[in-house]
Every structure is written in C-alpha cells, then in structure tokens.
Amino acid sequence: MATADVLLHPVRMRILQALFDADPLTTGQLRERLPDIPPATMYRHIAVLVDAGVLEVVDERRVRGTVERSYRVSQEQAVVDATARATMTRDEHRRAYTTFAASLIGDFDRYLAHDDADPHRDGVVYRQAAVWLTDEEFTAMVHEIEHAVVSRTGNTRDDGRTRRVVNLVVIPDLPTTH
C-alpha cells in the first residue's frame, strides 16, 4: 500500500485519475490529457508512483531511440489502507485531507473552465447528509457505497457513457467541546 504522502499529492492524484478505468497510457498520452502539467513535473511524479508500486509498467517499446512506457494503476496499491490511516497523526490526516479537498476544488474549476460545461445537464452533484448509524450500520453503508461504485468501474466509454469521478468523504459529527 502507498502512503498518503505518495497518493495525496495534487499532481499525482491527477495522474491517477487520468489512468483510473483507462487503458494503459504512455507519458505522452498522459501529457495530452493533462496539458497544464509541465513535462519534467509529469515525468518526476510518474517515477514516484512507479517506485511506490502504484503505477505498473505494462509495455515498453522503442520510439526514436528512447523507450516509451505504458502505465496502468495497480488498484491494490493505490489506496491508503485502514492500517496506514490508523498510524497517521492528526496533523498528517489534516494535511492529507487538505490536499484531497484542494484536489476536488481543482477538478471542479477545470470542469467549469470548459466552454460547454453545464452542471445541471452533466449531472453534477455535491451534497451532505447526516445519518445516525451504529458502527455495524456504518460499516454496511460504506460497503454498499463501495460496491455500487466498484461494480461499475469495468464499464467502458461506449454506449454513450460519460466518465464521472466519484469521491466519498465521511466525517463523524462529534460534539463540540468547550
């Protein structure tokens, strides 16, 4: 499993998002999908993800004297698992969550920057709800949500499907202490 520091970096998060549910991509193809990331920055962050085992090299071929690699996400390595989260300090959690939230804001800003962006038509949803659950009910709900999302990750872009990025945040609403 990768650490939060490896995964929760804004550039690396965008690289991973570009590769989620995609065929393997070369660095050149990633640069086409993420043109605002400078080439040297792209190569540096891909190297970090490969070294951490989060990206796998699935193909190599010679192109004009260099080696072009194709990458895919190693799904089992692309998570900060419960054990790793349990060892994080409060400050590490704060830093990781801030990076995650900033990434969401950046994603939304990039979406809205498209001339044809129409949040209503495109089905944009952002919502909060409070639910009262026992620990067992909470665990069941998280499994249900994960199943609902993961069971659809194998869909392909055909049949008029639109790629949508789903994010889940769960925070307990603890009583305020004075």
Side-chain angles (χ1 to χ4, degrees):
M1 301 297 157
T3 65
D5 285 340
V6 169
L7 293 175
L8 295 176
H9 182 282
V11 172
R12 292 192 284 267
M13 286 180 72
R14 291 189 57 212
I15 291 168
L16 292 172
Q17 284 177 348
L19 284 162
F20 282 149
D21 292 333
D23 292 330
L25 300 174
T26 65
T27 305
Q29 292 167 320
L30 282 165
R31 288 186 52 224
E32 288 172 10
R33 290 182 182 205
L34 306 167
D36 58 311
I37 299 175
T41 300
M42 176 78 70
Y43 284 106
R44 186 173 58 253
H45 288 290
I46 287 173
V48 169
L49 291 167
V50 169
D51 289 346
V54 176
L55 291 185
E56 301 172 325
V57 177
V58 294
D59 188 34
E60 292 183 340
R61 63 186 184 118
R62 287 247 181 266
V63 176
R64 293 185 292 276
T66 64
V67 176
E68 179 182 67
R69 292 178 179 88
S70 296
Y71 303 94
R72 76 171 168 223
V73 176
S74 173
Q75 298 295 335
E76 58 278 352
Q77 296 297 318
V79 297
V80 181
D81 68 7
T83 303
R85 286 191 312 270
T87 65
M88 292 170 62
T89 66
R90 287 181 184 194
D91 283 342
E92 289 170 329
H93 277 284
R94 183 175 290 112
R95 193 170 50 252
Y97 186 82
T98 300
T99 301
F100 176 76
S103 175
L104 291 177
I105 292 167
D107 291 345
F108 196 63
D109 284 346
R110 279 185 294 282
Y111 161 73
L112 290 175
H114 288 270
D115 291 337
D116 62 342
D118 180 340
H120 177 71
R121 178 199 66 218
D122 296 337
V124 171
V125 176
Y126 38 91
R127 152 167 213 230
Q128 281 187 319
V131 293
W132 291 89
L133 303 168
T134 65
D135 288 347
E136 293 78 21
E137 291 167 334
F138 171 71
T139 300
M141 181 188 74
V142 169
H143 286 296
E144 290 167 14
I145 293 168
E146 287 177 341
H147 176 74
V149 174
V150 171
S151 68
R152 290 164 174 82
T153 59
N155 290 349
T156 58
R157 66 176 69 226
D158 57 354
D159 296 331
R161 290 188 174 109
T162 300
R163 185 173 185 260
R164 300 174 196 282
V165 177
V166 178
N167 296 279
L168 174 64
V169 178
V170 178
I171 302 170
D173 188 19
L174 299 177
T176 305
T177 58
H178 298 291

